Amino acid sequence: MTSAPMIGVLAIQGAVREHISLLEAAGAQAMPIRQTADIAKVTGIVLPGGESTTISKLAVIDGLMEPLRAAASEGVPIYGSCAGMILLADRILDGRPDQETIGGIDMTVRRNAFGRQVDSFEGGIDLVGIDGGPFPGIFIRAPWVEEIGPKVEVLGRVGAGTANGRIVAVRDRNLIATSFHPELTGDTRVHQYFVEMVRQAA
Ligand code: GLN
């Protein structure tokens, strides 16, 4: 392991610092993405959680939407957590009528899917391609994936409770998304998986 790819974290809102430290712990270099020029400096991109309606509105205003769409379709590895998952979805349910997404993953994502009474919860999620036991999933007003296209790979599902079986982690070629927030745990495994994707793509 010699290469430390430079990965950008979209820095409009959300847990930007936490993603940066886990990316560094996983062997990458990391920087915030605040403007279009930053996208050219990175070989992978993380879209953090936050409020997807706000993030997408500000991304449009900042002129970041089209460059991010271009990166997604050109094969740049992108990882979205929670609101970031919503941003990577081709279709959303319970979004704002004017809510734009970057898109790229052939899936329908439902916002705030777990219901108001379950604002946040934690649960172990078995993830395809990630060893070492269930991943500690922290869900905060999280979306789930309601439907996927034929080429989308399911990486993880909720394993218990009323949402049992719901898809919460997916991969579509260069794009991955989780409903939960690995950046709020000390567990680097999802970030390591993503850093490896970025290395492979280089
Ligand atoms: N509910 C938020 C949204 O729709 C996502 C929550 C999160 O990222 N923790 O954007």
Side-chain angles (χ1 to χ4, degrees):
M1 193 209 79
T2 47
S3 72
M6 179 60 85
I7 296 178
V9 180
L10 184 66
I12 291 178
Q13 195 204 40
V16 177
R17 266 171 202 281
E18 289 83 349
H19 272 297
I20 287 180
S21 26
L22 276 202
L23 287 167
E24 288 172 349
Q29 300 174 266
M31 61 173 273
I33 292 180
R34 297 205 171 87
Q35 52 192 17
T36 305
D38 296 331
I39 295 176
K41 299 175 188 160
V42 302
T43 54
I45 297 170
V46 171
L47 308 171
E51 181 51 51
S52 61
T53 53
T54 308
I55 297 175
S56 80
K57 198 188 295 171
L58 294 175
V60 170
I61 291 169
D62 294 344
L64 284 162
M65 211 52 149
E66 283 309 325
L68 288 170
R69 285 186 183 127
S73 65
E74 283 160 10
V76 174
I78 304 183
Y79 165 42
S81 60
C82 202
M85 167 187 262
I86 298 168
L87 286 168
L88 286 175
D90 280 347
R91 297 167 297 279
I92 51 180
L93 297 170
D94 295 339
R96 293 258 180 90
D98 60 344
Q99 185 171 351
E100 288 191 35
T101 71
I102 296 163
I105 301 186
D106 180 10
M107 64 178 173
T108 305
V109 161
R110 185 178 293 280
R111 289 182 64 223
N112 304 324
F114 292 89
R116 284 184 201 288
Q117 60 280 48
V118 223
D119 230 26
S120 61
F121 68 98
E122 292 186 38
I125 308 291
D126 289 314
L127 293 172
V128 174
I130 294 187
D131 297 330
F135 194 88
I138 298 181
F139 295 81
I140 305 168
R141 289 181 295 286
W144 68 41
V145 179
E146 192 126 333
E147 170 264 318
I148 52 171
K151 298 211 175 80
V152 177
E153 188 188 352
V154 174
L155 299 182
R157 296 176 186 268
V158 175
T162 48
N164 193 15
R166 289 292 182 179
I167 301 170
V168 291
V170 292
R171 176 167 182 174
D172 188 351
R173 298 153 299 148
N174 55 313
L175 308 174
I176 60 167
T178 62
S179 302
F180 50 90
H181 293 267
E183 75 281 10
L184 302 183
T185 71
D187 196 321
T188 57
R189 287 177 291 158
V190 170
H191 288 75
Q192 278 171 335
Y193 177 100
F194 181 62
V195 171
E196 197 45 46
M197 273 175 70
V198 176
R199 283 206 187 96
Q200 305 269 316

